[in-house]
Structures are given as C-alpha cells and as structure tokens.
Amino acid sequence: MIMRATPVAIWRSQCPTYWLDQKIQGRDNRFDQIRLGLALIFVLGHSWYLAAGPDAHVPFATLTVQGFHQYAVYLFFFISGLLVTESARRREGNLLGFVLARVDRIFPGLIVCALLTPPLLMAVGAWGGGDVVSALRYSLRLIGLIAVEFEVPGAFPESPFPHAVNGSVWSLRHEAVAYAVIGIFTATGMFFRGGTVLSVYVGLVLAVAAVGHALAGPSAGGITFLIVEARYVIVAFLLGVLAHRLARWIPICWPVLASVWLMAVGLRPLLPDWAMIYALIATLSYTAIYLAYAGQAASGLRHDISYGVYIYGWPVQQLAVMFVMSLTGVPPGPVVLFFLSLLVLVPVAFASWLLVEQPALRHGLQVHLRGWVGRLLGSATLQQSRQ
C-alpha cells in the first residue's frame, strides 16, 4: 500500500527546524521579555508627545507610516491572540473558566490604577479643581471600559499635552472585546475542529476592519470611532489566532525571518500606507515568534511587570514633565523624559505586579470558584453518604 505524503508533511520535511505547533503548548518562551520590551517602546514613543505636544513627530514615522510605538501595541495584540487562543484551547467548552482567567489578568491591576490615579494627582496638584465626584466618575468609567477618557479638565493644565491623564489604556477596551469574541466562539466546542467556525470568525474580524477603514475618512464619533480605532489592533489579534490555528505550517528559523523582512522592505514603495501597516504588523509578528521560541533554554521572567509599565507609563511621564517644568520652566526632551520617568515607573510596575497582579493570578476568581465548587460538591457528597 502506497502512503501519500500530505502537503503539511512535505512542507515540514523541507525545513528541518522547530515548528510553532511543537512550541505553542509549552510554557518555555520569551514572551514576557518581549512584552516588557514592547511596553518600554510604547513609553518611549509617548515621550515625544508628552514632551512636545500632541502634534509632535515621532522618529521614523515617515518610513514606517505610523509611529514605532503604535506597532508595539499591535504586537501586544498579536501575542495576546496567540497565547489567548492557546488558553481557550485548554478550556474549550468552558467559557466561564476562560472569562475568569482573562478577568484575573486585566482587571485587578486596572482597578487599582484607576482608583489610585485621581487622588494622587489631586494631592500633588496635577489635577486642579478635581473633586470626589469627578474622581469616581473617571475611575468607574475606566474600570468598566465604558469610556476611556483621554482628556480630563483640570489635569496637567501647564503640560505640553494638557488634560491627558492616561493615553495608554485606550487599547484595553478593544482587548476585552477581542477576548469576549474568541471566548464565545471557543465555547461552541467547534472552534478547534474543522474550519467552518474559524472561517466565520475570520470573516467577522475582517468585515469589522473593512468597515473601520471605510469610516476612517469622515469624522467619526461614538461606536463609529471605536470601529475606526480598532481596525488595526483587531487584525493583529486575528493574526495571533491564525498563527495558533496554522501552527503546524509555521517554521521557526532565521531564513524565514530574513525572507519576511526582505519582502517587507521590498514592498514599501509598492504598497499604499494602510497595506504597508498590515505588512509590517505581519513581519513583526513573525519576528516576535522567532524571538520567543528560537534557540535553546527559552524561559519567561520571574516578575512580569509589562502590564504595570503599560498602564502607569503615561501618568508617570506626565508627572515627570510637571516636575521638570517646575524646576526649569521648560519641559524635558523626549529621551531625557523617558529615562527620567523610568526611575519611578519601574518601581511602580514592580509594586503593581507583586502587590496586585501576581496575587490576583494566584488567588483570583478562578481559584475561589474552584474552591467554592469543590466545597459545594464535597457538601453534596457528604449529604449523600449520610442518607
């Protein structure tokens, strides 16, 4: 009997190296380091705006179409798509467990940040005219992701970028929606079997992105603005989902890495700006996979402070600008601002991880729910044994 090789087997035989499906189910990777680097890049990019104002020009933006810090956000979403899909695979059919895992990761740190920021800014004079009502309004709207308020009257009035308390957290509402949609699809129990449900998911995401591009020209507000704002990040998240689902086709080797970069550079003069952004997202996404898994002894960080850097970066930098201006009368330069803010931001991020995020992951809703269910089942068993 003649056995015919499948297309996957033929492709894998041509590239004797690691493959993503051999790595994705394990925990040996460098995504912690990559996310921390991305968070720092995000803070560095914001340094230009906070030091010079909202109309500042970030270096290399002409070459890369958008600021380099924006690609850090897209890579955050790609990595989330990849790893969250693996989390969903392990919890296939268990929507509650999936949701609780995501809640434990996002909301404890965000809640503390949202509650602490207003009183601290008011205490140091960075939020003039603020009161308890305005503080609670800001905190609750941020915690509920109802409206991530970019401008707050009275906050940082003398800064080059006035009234902006936290310009980093806008992406969290899109991340929450992406988690919710992938959770609903995997809860069907068919997302990882066959291609029909996956195809529906891909079509839905691409349709939303297409609508976002169509609406990007005219002035957009409300839900329209959210769709326009989300068009690149949801596609980046989708690329992470697809990378997971097509993992057996994806080699992890430097010739592929070099090829995708040469292709991206070669396409730059040929593609329109919006298409070049997607090409760079795809190229950087493969680069993230390569850096996370290539070589031996890949492992994460003991302390994952990337989320703390991300959510506290903007207010800490605004405070650094205010401090320098109070001493010198002029704002610091972008690079000086970046390194100066790290002196405060890194300890704050460590405190967020050690005191809030890590305990939430160890003792959060998932753990309590399992304990409650276990006690409930134990009580029921005991009652049956007594009868």
Side-chain angles (χ1 to χ4, degrees), residues 59 116 120 122 215 248 280 318-319 334:
L116 286 182
L120 286 176
M122 292 176 189
L215 298 174
R248 59 179 180 166
L280 286 173
Q318 283 281 55
L319 288 171

Side-chain angles (χ1 to χ4, degrees), residues 83-102:
L83 299 183
V84 167
T85 304
E86 172 58 21
S87 175
R89 183 197 64 80
R90 294 195 301 266
R91 298 176 175 86
E92 188 177 7
N94 179 13
L95 179 59
L96 180 59
F98 175 81
V99 170
L100 293 179
R102 307 279 64 78

Side-chain angles (χ1 to χ4, degrees), residues 1-17:
M1 182 177 179
I2 299 176
M3 300 292 292
R4 294 186 177 182
T6 65
V8 176
I10 295 173
W11 166 240
R12 290 170 76 101
S13 68
Q14 301 304 310
C15 190
T17 185

Side-chain angles (χ1 to χ4, degrees), residues 87-361:
S87 175
R89 183 197 64 80
R90 294 195 301 266
R91 298 176 175 86
E92 188 177 7
N94 179 13
L95 179 59
L96 180 59
F98 175 81
V99 170
L100 293 179
R102 307 279 64 78
V103 168
D104 286 341
R105 187 63 189 97
I106 292 179
F107 282 96
L110 179 64
I111 290 171
V112 173
C113 178
L115 292 176
L116 286 182
T117 299
L120 286 176
L121 295 185
M122 292 176 189
V124 299
W127 187 336
D131 53 24
V132 174
V133 174
S134 60
L136 284 176
R137 181 178 182 275
Y138 171 86
S139 299
L140 294 177
R141 287 167 69 85
L142 176 54
I143 292 169
L145 301 178
I146 299 170
V148 181
E149 296 182 83
F150 193 76
E151 293 187 354
V152 177
F156 302 106
E158 305 299 327
S159 296
F161 204 135
H163 313 305
V165 173
N166 198 332
S168 301
V169 294
W170 65 270
S171 65
L172 294 181
R173 54 189 169 193
H174 301 301
E175 193 161 3
V177 171
Y179 290 168
V181 173
I182 200 72
I184 292 170
F185 271 88
T186 55
T188 65
M190 296 182 289
F191 191 78
F192 298 95
R193 297 177 178 83
T196 302
V197 175
L198 177 63
S199 299
V200 172
Y201 173 76
V202 172
L204 174 65
V205 173
L206 294 181
V208 173
V211 172
H213 280 289
L215 298 174
S219 177
I223 188 66
T224 302
F225 171 77
L226 293 180
I227 295 174
V228 171
E229 187 182 58
R231 65 193 190 279
Y232 290 116
V233 294
I234 61 169
V235 172
F237 188 89
L238 171 64
L239 286 177
V241 175
L242 290 177
H244 182 279
R245 299 297 294 114
L246 302 175
R248 59 179 180 166
W249 289 88
I250 300 177
I252 304 173
C253 57
W254 70 263
V256 175
L257 178 66
S259 298
V260 296
W261 273 105
L262 288 173
M263 188 178 301
V265 172
L267 289 174
R268 178 65 182 97
L270 305 176
L271 294 179
D273 286 349
W274 66 268
M276 190 61 206
I277 293 172
Y278 285 122
L280 286 173
I281 292 173
T283 301
L284 291 168
S285 296
Y286 182 80
T287 304
I289 290 175
Y290 181 84
L291 294 176
Y293 292 115
Q296 302 292 328
S299 61
L301 297 174
R302 181 179 179 184
H303 303 296
D304 182 8
I305 66 171
S306 59
Y307 187 56
V309 170
Y310 190 84
I311 62 177
Y312 286 100
W314 186 288
V316 167
Q317 285 191 291
Q318 283 281 55
L319 288 171
V321 170
M322 188 181 77
F323 173 74
V324 172
M325 290 184 67
S326 69
L327 295 178
T328 66
V330 295
V335 177
V336 172
L337 173 60
F338 172 70
F339 285 105
L340 181 62
S341 62
L342 289 186
L343 297 176
V344 176
L345 179 57
V346 171
V348 167
F350 265 106
S352 177
W353 168 254
L354 293 173
L355 301 178
V356 181
E357 299 166 48
Q358 188 180 56
L361 292 173

Side-chain angles (χ1 to χ4, degrees), residues 357-374:
E357 299 166 48
Q358 188 180 56
L361 292 173
R362 288 180 175 175
H363 312 293
L365 292 174
Q366 282 194 96
V367 176
H368 286 300
L369 182 63
R370 286 197 294 266
W372 294 333
V373 171

